Every structure is written in C-alpha cells, then in structure tokens.
Amino acid sequence: MSATDTIFALSSGGLPSGVAVIRLSGARSLQAVEELCGRIPPVRRASLLSIRNRNGNKLDEGLILVFPGPNSFTGEDCAELQIHGGRATVKAVLAALESMEGLRPAEAGEFSRRAFLNGRMDLVEVEGLADLIAAETEMQRRLAAEHASGGLSLLYESWAKRLTHARAMIEAELDFADEDDVPGSVASSIWRDMHALEQEILNHVADARTGEIVRDGLKVVIAGPPNAGKSSLLNHLAKRDVAIVTDIPGTTRDVLHVDLDLSGFAVRLYDTAGLRATEDIVEREGIRRTHLSMSDAHLLLLLSEDAQWTSLDGIYDGQTLRVRTKSDQVKTPWPEDGADVTISVKSGDGVSDLLDAIGRHLPNLEAGSALALPTRQRHILNLSTARENIRRAIEATNGLDIQAEYLRLAGQSLGRVTGRVDVENLLDVIFSEFCIGK
C-alpha cells in the first residue's frame, strides 16, 4: 500500500442509518467523483447527483461535495458522498470505488495520519480529535475540543518560539559580538525569560492529574470486608445488576466497574473483592487485584456495616471516604464511628450525600475556563525533559555554546509533543530583530 494512493472509507456510524458518509482523499478523488457521478460538482457546495457504477447502473442518489487540496481535512484533494445508509447501498458504492484504479480502502486512522503528515494537524490535535469522538461527558468533550482545535498546541508553540528566540540571542552574542547592534548581555533578558518558562512548564505538568481525571475519569475503588455492601452499592449507582449479590462472603472474585456522569465528569467506580485473610486461591487472586486497583485509585470508598474499619496500612495511603452501609438495618442511632457518609442502598438514604462527597474530589474548573491540560504520559515525559534541559541551560557555567545546546534539546523535547521537530533557522530570527553587518 502506498501513501500516494487515493483512499476511501465509510466515515459515518454503523449501518443501517438514515445517511451514510463516504470520504475520499488523494490525487484521484475528484476523478473518482467524475466517474461515479458524470461530472465534478462546484467545489465546497453540496450537489444532488446520481451515483452509477461502470456499467451505468444507478446505485443511489446523494449529496456530493469536493474539497480541493490543500484546503481540506487531509491537505489533499478530498470528496464526500452523502448517500442513503442502507447496507446494500453502501456496499455497492464502496465496491464501485474499489474497482477504480489507484483507489483502495483506508486503513484505521489513515485520514488523520495524512492530515498530520501534510501539516494540517499536529499530534496533540490528532489525539484531541480521537478523544472528541470518544467523549461521553461534557468535560471530556470540552477537553477534547480544546485540544482538537489547537488550543493546547498554541501554548506549546508560544513556548517553542521563546526557546528559539533565546537561542538566537545566544548565537548572536557568540557569532556577532563585534557588531554594535547586538545586545551585549544575554543574561539580563534571555535568562530571566527562561526562568519564567521553566516555572510555567513546571506548573503545567502539575496539572497532569487534573487532565487525567477529565479525560479518563475519576477512578473510585469501592473496598472493604466481605458483605459490606460493595456490590450492592455498585448495582444501585449503575441502576442495573452489574455484580452478583449474595449473603455468601467472597462472592466477588474479580474487579468490576461502571462509569457514571457526575457534574459533567466521568467517574469510574470499581467493585472489588472483600478484604480478608483467606485460603481460597481464587479469592486470594481477587484480593491481589483489589490491591492493584487501589494503587491506581484517585479515591477509595472504604465500606463497613459496623464501623470496624479495615486497616489499609501498606496498601493504600491516598484520599479515602469512610462509608457506613446498611443504615436501614439499625434501629437505634449509631455512636460517633468515624464515618464520612452513612447510606442504605435499600432505602436510598444517604446515597445523594455520597455522590456529593465524591463530587468534592473532582477538579474545580470554572465553566468558561480553557482546558489547556496535558493528558497523556508522553506529554508529561517530553515536557518534563524540556523543563530539565532549560534548568540545565540556566545553571550551566561552561559557556554560552553549552547553554544554547541545552536549549536546543529543550526545543526538541517540546517539539516531540506536537510532532513538529523542525530544524529552526536561527539566523532568520536574528536578522528579523537586528541589522547585523550593515
């Protein structure tokens, strides 16, 4: 398969559907439309045309749009066929396209890959687009839209420009020190800005946990001894029977989960095996998996029906909500027992209080605030490397050329986040700001 092939794919949802959209990209896209429809419609205008195969048999009638490159999603010539979404109809049109020379079905993600390779999107925008398609909550949508539209990329681009400017000033002092119009002290302006940039990146990386929660959801593990009501709570919140509930201790052997939408955030609740000493090899494996889930949790709901709280020493030291369960079975008031919330899934008492308590562990983001947050581990690693190299440049005492090299490495790490690691022409920056050699 060649990157120069013209590709096509069904880009809308599953079939059957009211409308199906078939997308094409590549040098033969417009020719393919002409073969199918008899002519190429006006660019960027929807035209109702008949679609026929090579034998002249009418396959369907639909809206046809063409988008000549480079002003298209992929940067190549593109076309869209908006046809009826019957399985047989779509299959016939796809077969007609596949029969044409130079056309082939697209591979997974190939349209976005071509958009990246042709400079229409960077890696952060591509990742944002994928997240936007997968978004299930309002905050996930907002975060993904911010990334897909280039909001985060603009921040990184501004940092890259500051690094390039710093390197240009250093090169100017190294190579053109005899010229009167070159600043004599890089330190007085450049290093002050590099100190500020290092702190900005450090603050940005510190928001990684917030970005992780917004994108992947708040991970809440329900833990406690057997028969404390863990599975019953999971089923109650899910409004369906996800976990098996019996009076027999040790019913839950594996980690189950459900996803909730809480105040626009995704919250993933994990039901786990009861914490106790056991000789049952299967239950012991379930408890081991419970410990693994707890190590990744943002919040732990520690359940108990009698306020005898299970010790978590050496297992979990993060944020915990103590939840006393089965309040409907108690006829007299409880003494002070250390519980943060008291609930009954049978009567529903206290469940809304529990959800409010979980909600207080969600990020506090203003409704109109920009979500320029790092969300992936590769973002964090490259940003941290960039910050470390800026710090080394600031602290280096063995010459401006060494400091410039550290800043170059910082720029490379920053470029790896967006996928744009260009060889900057530093002289362009220098000549744009000075009149060297006049």
Side-chain angles (χ1 to χ4, degrees):
M1 294 184 180
S2 171
T4 60
D5 292 340
T6 295
I7 58 175
F8 62 89
L10 176 68
S11 63
S12 52
L15 302 175
S17 60
V19 176
V21 179
I22 296 175
R23 173 181 287 175
L24 297 88
S25 179
R28 297 178 63 85
S29 295
L30 304 189
Q31 182 180 339
V33 168
E34 186 174 21
E35 290 186 30
L36 285 174
C37 305
R39 65 183 178 89
I40 300 175
V43 299
R44 296 181 180 83
R45 288 180 56 187
S47 301
L48 182 63
L49 298 174
S50 295
I51 301 172
R52 301 179 183 274
N53 61 18
R54 286 185 172 180
N55 298 324
N57 298 322
K58 184 175 179 178
L59 305 178
D60 196 14
E61 189 174 64
L63 295 178
I64 313 301
L65 298 97
V66 295
F67 307 92
N71 298 318
S72 67
F73 174 72
T74 63
E76 305 172 329
D77 288 348
C78 288
E80 284 189 1
L81 313 177
Q82 299 182 9
I83 62 176
H84 295 97
R87 288 190 175 89
T89 301
V90 173
K91 182 179 179 181
V93 175
L94 293 175
L97 289 170
E98 192 166 8
S99 69
M100 297 179 186
E101 183 179 354
L103 271 69
R104 63 170 174 82
E107 298 177 350
E110 192 168 4
F111 285 93
S112 296
R113 183 182 182 89
R114 291 191 177 195
F116 167 71
L117 293 175
N118 291 326
R120 297 295 294 174
M121 306 174 74
D122 63 30
L123 287 182
V124 174
E125 292 169 329
V126 169
E127 291 167 337
L129 178 60
D131 289 343
L132 189 60
I133 293 171
E136 295 182 346
T137 69
E138 174 60 16
M139 298 306 296
Q140 287 176 331
R141 182 200 65 78
R142 281 183 53 196
L143 179 70
E146 178 82 13
H147 291 193
S149 63
L152 188 59
S153 300
L154 286 175
L155 175 64
Y156 295 158
E157 183 180 348
S158 71
W159 290 348
K161 286 180 179 179
R162 288 162 67 181
L163 284 170
T164 300
H165 179 264
R167 288 178 56 203
M169 297 305 98
I170 293 173
E171 295 291 346
E173 185 162 320
L174 285 170
D175 297 339
F176 303 101
D178 295 335
E179 299 291 337
D180 294 335
D181 54 357
V182 175
S185 175
V186 170
S188 63
S189 58
I190 295 305
W191 297 118
R192 187 163 53 248
D193 185 52
M194 290 299 98
H195 273 289
L197 179 56
E198 182 197 9
Q199 187 61 47
E200 288 174 33
I201 296 176
L202 180 63
N203 294 341
H204 182 69
V205 171
D207 287 334
R209 181 181 182 276
T210 298
E212 177 190 352
I213 291 174
V214 175
R215 177 178 179 264
D216 299 325
L218 185 75
K219 299 175 183 176
V220 180
V221 170
I222 306 172
N227 281 2
K230 300 183 297 298
S231 297
S232 296
L233 176 59
L234 186 78
N235 290 345
H236 182 84
L237 295 176
K239 296 183 173 60
R240 57 191 175 91
D241 290 336
V242 178
I244 298 173
V245 177
T246 72
D247 293 331
I248 303 173
T251 303
T252 301
R253 302 297 183 92
D254 208 344
V255 177
L256 306 175
H257 74 266
V258 297
D259 294 329
L260 303 180
D261 185 337
L262 189 59
S263 302
F265 289 87
V267 175
R268 175 160 286 190
L269 286 164
Y270 293 86
D271 180 26
T272 59
L275 298 173
R276 67 170 179 173
T278 178
E279 296 301 321
D280 187 305
I281 188 171
V282 178
E283 189 177 356
R284 286 169 61 184
E285 173 61 20
I287 294 172
R288 186 189 70 83
R289 296 186 183 188
T290 296
H291 292 172
L292 289 176
S293 298
M294 291 165 64
S295 66
D296 293 331
H298 298 121
L299 175 65
L300 183 75
L301 303 185
L302 183 60
L303 272 56
S304 173
E305 63 175 311
D306 55 10
Q308 300 300 311
W309 306 108
T310 302
S311 174
L312 301 177
D313 292 343
I315 304 174
Y316 177 80
D317 59 1
Q319 295 180 326
T320 303
L321 281 176
R322 292 187 174 188
V323 183
R324 185 156 187 179
T325 59
K326 305 181 183 180
S327 64
D328 57 287
Q329 297 181 11
V330 177
K331 295 181 173 56
T332 58
W334 280 321
E336 184 66 32
D337 56 19
D340 298 299
V341 185
T342 298
I343 66 169
S344 166
V345 297
K346 187 174 182 179
S347 66
D349 291 343
V351 174
S352 61
D353 295 333
L354 175 60
L355 292 176
D356 289 341
I358 294 173
R360 289 192 286 272
H361 289 79
L362 293 168
N364 184 17
L365 299 174
E366 296 180 3
S369 63
L371 294 180
L373 304 170
T375 57
R376 286 173 164 80
Q377 189 61 28
R378 72 170 196 88
H379 298 174
I380 308 306
L381 290 174
N382 285 304
L383 289 168
S384 298
T385 301
R387 188 193 68 82
E388 177 64 18
N389 280 312
I390 293 173
R391 186 190 62 78
R392 290 174 178 172
I394 293 171
E395 296 177 353
T397 58
N398 45 356
L400 286 175
D401 52 344
I402 301 300
Q403 291 178 301
E405 175 62 13
Y406 280 132
L407 293 183
R408 184 187 70 81
L409 294 174
Q412 277 194 341
S413 296
L414 194 58
R416 290 191 187 97
V417 180
T418 60
R420 293 174 177 170
V421 186
D422 300 322
V423 179
E424 300 105 341
N425 188 340
L426 296 182
L427 287 181
D428 285 347
V429 178
I430 295 172
F431 282 110
S432 71
E433 299 196 15
F434 304 107
C435 301
I436 293 174
K438 66 179 179 182

